[in-house]
Amino acid sequence: MTKNTIKNESEHSGELRHFQAATRPTIVLLTANFLFNHSFQLLQGVIDAAKQQQFNLFYFRCGALQSPHESEAQGNILYQLAHSPQIDGLIIASSLLGQYVEKDEVERFSRQYCSRPIVSVGEELSCATSNVILDNYTGIYRLVEHLIVEHEHRGIAFIKGPAWHIEAQIRYQAYCDALKAYGLPLNSKLIFSGTFRREDGKKAVATFFEQRQYGLDAIVAANDQMAFGAIEELSKRGIHIPAQLAVTGFDNDHLSKASSPSLTTAYQPTYKMGVKAVETLASILRGENVAQQITFSTPLMLRESCGCVRSSMPNNIAIPELPTNQANATLSARKAPILKALAEWVNGHGLHFELLWAEQFWDALMQELAQHTPNVFLMKFHDILRQLSLTEDYFIIGHEFLAVFRNWVFPFFDAEQRGYAEALWQQAHAELGKTFQRMVMMENARMAQYFHAFHNLSAALLTTFDLEKMLGMLGEDLPQIGVESAYFLVYDEPRVFGEPQPEWSTLIFAFHDGKRLPIESERQRVCAAELFKDSFLLSEKPSSIMTLSLYFQQTELGIAFLEIRTMMQGFYDFLNKLLSNAAYGIWLTKRLQKSTSIENHI
């Protein structure tokens, strides 16, 4: 591709532009599917941190290594793009890529990129400059210990992950060690081997009951998905959870809070791990020394499925103690230690809350109590809720915050203040409920809009074989499904799945900032080795670009590069299939046009 310097924005309005990648580092995230919440959270953490570091980020929607699922494996041709010399560093989600292979295979795969800095997330790789890993052992050990000590369970079953998966092995070892530490026997009939899929949880429960394991009183699953499957199957069989049987998981999936009963689990902070991976890679690129291993803890999220009440109940939380010389301090003097402890407690339970919000909340409450100024407190609380609504757990955080704040602050009010504050608290809970309902309605409406747009575009693409009309439809409808920029490249000749990626392809569609861009003839041909160099894919600001393999059955058709405005878990598969179908239609159309041209010539 021809090198082009960056020109003034007005000179390029509505044109396909090339920007020099050398203006900022370009990094790549290699990860498997985004269906599971922890993989989606990892992706979000990497995207947010890459923007903060002013990096260009390409994240490849690939499949796990040697995946038996064709829809995943078809994307693995994209791994070849990561060999580009223009890539400055890689983040490899090793535990996600290694779902179906042993650690040695993940090592072998990762070693091909060792000429650049590598940060591994999940598994510790010898070829990685730094490894961001999870304390899998402690999370499972403490879950089993909790069931034994706090709930007096003795017949504890375990649903394992894949035997070859290193994190699954560690979690199983923790289960075995916890039983041994408390003098409980290891019963092979209470162990089921799964693959981290929801269906495995259902099969495990069916197996346990078919073997008539009468002593079974708790199930520990190696991840939340298998725990959800177990709960579903137990419910079908009329088994009450937790009265008759306790269930725990591992991940703290977003559904674990909303399931019925809510799921006790160990928190896997994959968003924070993604952020840390990018920050570590940034340090490496600056020539700084970094730790070979960075470990994240896995605190317990104690909920209903094991028999625990919510951890935020007032009688479960001790008020932060002040130094002896401040024991008789006024309420205002207690502000700093209480707010600090509050923020640490909420964040320590896998939630995110800014200390500034707590300070604003405190000041508004004290102002209204002192002056009886109507609505000051509720207006500030509503403002905080709007900021919280940008986070995944806003309802949970709001509930936890109100409960803990009440427990720590109300004891220092006099009778009049306490009565007034109780009335404010009831209003705050009502406001929290209304905000939650509004957010649910907005989210449902947004998802309905996306599904409607997907359906309309898919149906429209099936009704035409006119190439220009197809591309025009894509230009009109892509913004409706959250796509800000899109570039489609098709191979000159489609390749059979498993063959090497073609060196050259043709750019047939360019879309940026809501506009379809004209493609000059000399820029239609694209070399795979220079995609990340002086590229039309990049812009004057940091870019986060999803890369998709376009295919139909066993035929590899091309590549799509997309910048997506709104991250929505679960839509990537829909989008990949939609664009693959469009690419197949385009390929058929070009093939038909070529055939017609030959016939006319004859």
Side-chain angles (χ1 to χ4, degrees):
M1 290 184 289
T2 305
K3 289 188 177 181
N4 292 274
T5 56
I6 303 175
K7 297 184 179 180
N8 185 281
E9 175 73 23
S10 62
E11 296 177 21
H12 282 277
S13 179
E15 297 179 11
L16 185 66
R17 296 170 290 169
H18 286 221
F19 289 89
Q20 293 181 349
T23 57
R24 62 176 62 90
T26 296
I27 66 172
V28 163
L29 169 65
L30 300 183
T31 184
N33 67 69
F34 309 131
L35 289 177
F36 295 140
N37 183 62
H38 61 276
S39 59
F40 185 72
Q41 289 298 314
L42 172 67
L43 171 62
Q44 286 190 304
V46 170
I47 289 175
D48 290 348
K51 290 179 181 177
Q52 183 69 28
Q53 296 290 337
Q54 296 288 298
F55 286 173
N56 291 321
L57 167 69
F58 288 83
Y59 53 103
F60 296 172
R61 189 201 174 279
C62 303
L65 300 178
Q66 299 181 23
S67 171
H69 305 285
E70 183 178 297
S71 61
E72 293 181 11
Q74 290 280 25
N76 290 1
I77 192 173
L78 298 175
Y79 290 136
Q80 299 175 38
L81 291 177
H83 288 288
S84 171
Q86 283 78 42
I87 293 173
D88 297 291
L90 293 92
I91 296 172
I92 299 179
S94 48
S95 60
L96 292 171
L97 297 184
Q99 292 177 48
Y100 306 107
V101 297
E102 295 185 359
K103 183 181 177 181
D104 288 347
E105 179 60 25
V106 181
E107 283 270 13
R108 186 202 63 77
F109 167 81
S110 303
R111 206 170 291 124
Q112 63 183 304
Y113 306 113
C114 65
S115 61
R116 271 76 51 82
I118 295 174
V119 175
S120 170
V121 180
E123 296 185 7
E124 186 173 1
L125 303 179
S126 61
C127 60
T129 313
S130 184
N131 297 274
V132 179
I133 66 173
L134 196 66
D135 184 2
N136 290 278
Y137 185 92
T138 302
I140 290 292
Y141 188 98
R142 291 183 62 201
L143 279 171
V144 177
E145 183 179 54
H146 175 77
L147 292 171
I148 296 171
V149 175
E150 300 297 330
H151 300 288
E152 300 182 347
H153 291 307
R154 296 296 180 266
I156 303 174
F158 191 74
I159 308 177
K160 299 167 59 178
W164 55 82
H165 194 278
I166 187 65
E167 288 189 311
Q169 294 171 13
I170 294 172
R171 294 175 196 179
Y172 175 61
Q173 187 61 52
Y175 162 77
C176 296
D177 290 350
L179 292 184
K180 183 178 180 180
Y182 285 91
L184 298 179
L186 184 64
N187 184 350
S188 61
K189 292 184 178 180
L190 291 181
I191 299 169
F192 183 89
S193 295
T195 58
F196 288 143
R197 302 270 171 169
R198 192 185 189 104
E199 287 300 314
D200 297 323
K202 298 179 184 179
K203 293 176 183 177
V205 169
T207 300
F208 294 149
F209 277 83
E210 286 168 6
Q211 293 177 349
R212 300 183 182 277
Q213 297 301 311
Y214 294 112
L216 176 64
D217 55 13
I219 295 175
V220 176
N223 78 335
D224 284 353
Q225 287 297 316
M226 294 192 294
F228 293 146
I231 289 174
E232 184 178 340
E233 183 64 24
L234 288 168
S235 298
K236 286 182 180 179
R237 293 172 179 266
I239 306 298
H240 187 273
I241 305 167
Q244 293 175 273
L245 198 147
V247 178
T248 69
F250 189 104
D251 283 337
N252 197 36
D253 187 284
H254 67 296
L255 294 177
S256 63
K257 311 174 193 70
S259 65
S260 182
S262 56
L263 180 65
T264 289
T265 185
Y267 172 49
Q268 182 174 182
T270 45
Y271 178 88
K272 296 178 182 178
M273 293 173 74
V275 171
K276 189 63 176 179
V278 175
E279 292 174 347
T280 302
L281 188 55
S283 296
I284 295 170
L285 295 177
R286 289 193 296 265
E288 300 170 2
N289 293 327
V290 297
Q292 176 66 26
Q293 179 175 304
I294 302 166
T295 304
F296 279 78
S297 61
T298 51
L300 301 191
M301 304 287 108
L302 301 178
R303 302 191 180 106
E304 298 166 337
S305 68
C306 71
C308 284
V309 294
R310 293 199 59 83
S311 56
S312 61
M313 293 301 290
N315 59 1
N316 287 344
I317 305 171
I319 299 172
E321 294 185 3
L322 292 175
T324 305
N325 62 349
Q326 299 181 30
N328 296 319
T330 62
L331 182 58
S332 60
R334 296 177 181 271
K335 174 181 176 180
I338 286 180
L339 293 187
K340 181 181 178 182
L342 177 64
E344 289 176 351
W345 186 88
V346 175
N347 291 323
H349 281 68
L351 306 172
H352 174 69
F353 196 87
E354 298 288 347
L355 182 59
L356 176 62
W357 299 343
E359 292 176 350
Q360 294 172 345
F361 186 83
W362 176 290
D363 292 341
L365 174 63
M366 297 307 164
Q367 179 182 344
E368 182 148 346
L369 287 177
Q371 303 174 10
H372 285 209
T373 309
N375 297 324
V376 170
F377 169 75
L378 281 181
M379 288 176 64
K380 177 52 63 178
F381 184 60
H382 181 72
D383 183 54
I384 292 173
L385 286 179
R386 279 190 298 158
Q387 298 176 71
L388 280 176
S389 67
L390 301 176
T391 68
E392 178 191 4
D393 299 306
Y394 61 91
F395 181 73
I396 302 295
I397 298 172
H399 174 80
E400 302 281 0
F401 177 74
L402 286 175
V404 179
F405 196 96
R406 182 188 185 283
N407 181 70
W408 283 351
V409 176
F410 276 39
F412 301 103
F413 290 156
D414 59 33
E416 181 182 356
Q417 289 176 321
R418 189 176 295 115
Y420 195 91
E422 288 286 5
L424 291 177
W425 240 244
Q426 292 180 18
Q427 295 176 47
H429 275 290
E431 184 65 25
L432 177 62
K434 287 190 291 185
T435 301
F436 177 71
Q437 289 179 337
R438 286 195 295 268
M439 293 301 298
V440 169
M441 291 174 63
M442 289 174 60
E443 184 68 11
N444 289 341
R446 188 160 66 108
M447 292 189 69
Q449 177 186 346
Y450 272 48
F451 276 116
H452 182 69
F454 269 109
H455 174 76
N456 287 348
L457 181 55
S458 181
L461 290 172
L462 291 174
T463 61
T464 181
F465 282 92
D466 183 286
L467 178 58
E468 188 57 34
K469 191 174 181 180
M470 280 186 180
L471 297 176
M473 290 176 182
L474 288 170
E476 291 176 3
D477 292 339
L478 283 177
Q480 302 302 315
I481 54 178
V483 177
E484 291 187 335
S485 300
Y487 302 91
F488 298 165
L489 292 86
V490 296
Y491 304 137
D492 293 343
E493 289 295 332
R495 298 300 175 100
V496 176
F497 175 58
E499 292 183 349
Q501 185 180 40
E503 181 181 3
W504 289 90
S505 53
T506 301
L507 178 66
I508 63 167
F509 180 79
F511 177 83
H512 184 74
D513 283 346
K515 297 179 182 178
R516 185 179 168 194
L517 307 180
I519 304 172
E520 299 174 13
S521 58
E522 67 270 18
R523 290 180 178 171
Q524 287 183 348
R525 301 284 289 161
V526 178
C527 177
E530 297 192 0
L531 270 173
F532 307 101
K533 196 177 181 182
D534 300 337
S535 178
F536 55 85
L537 296 173
L538 305 176
S539 64
E540 66 275 13
K541 60 183 180 180
S543 302
S544 293
I545 299 173
M546 179 168 67
T547 309
L548 302 174
S549 174
L550 305 178
Y551 60 88
F552 182 78
Q553 296 179 352
Q554 293 292 314
T555 304
E556 302 278 358
L557 301 168
I559 311 173
F561 297 92
L562 309 170
E563 278 199 276
I564 300 177
R565 177 177 64 252
T566 305
M567 302 286 292
M568 291 193 69
Q569 185 177 348
F571 275 90
Y572 292 104
D573 275 349
F574 287 115
L575 186 59
N576 206 159
K577 291 174 183 176
L578 173 67
L579 297 181
S580 289
N581 288 339
Y584 184 61
I586 290 168
W587 176 70
L588 286 178
T589 300
K590 293 178 69 176
R591 187 177 180 183
L592 180 62
Q593 290 174 344
K594 183 177 180 180
S595 176
T596 302
S597 176
I598 293 174
E599 289 179 1
N600 291 338
H601 180 73
I602 294 174

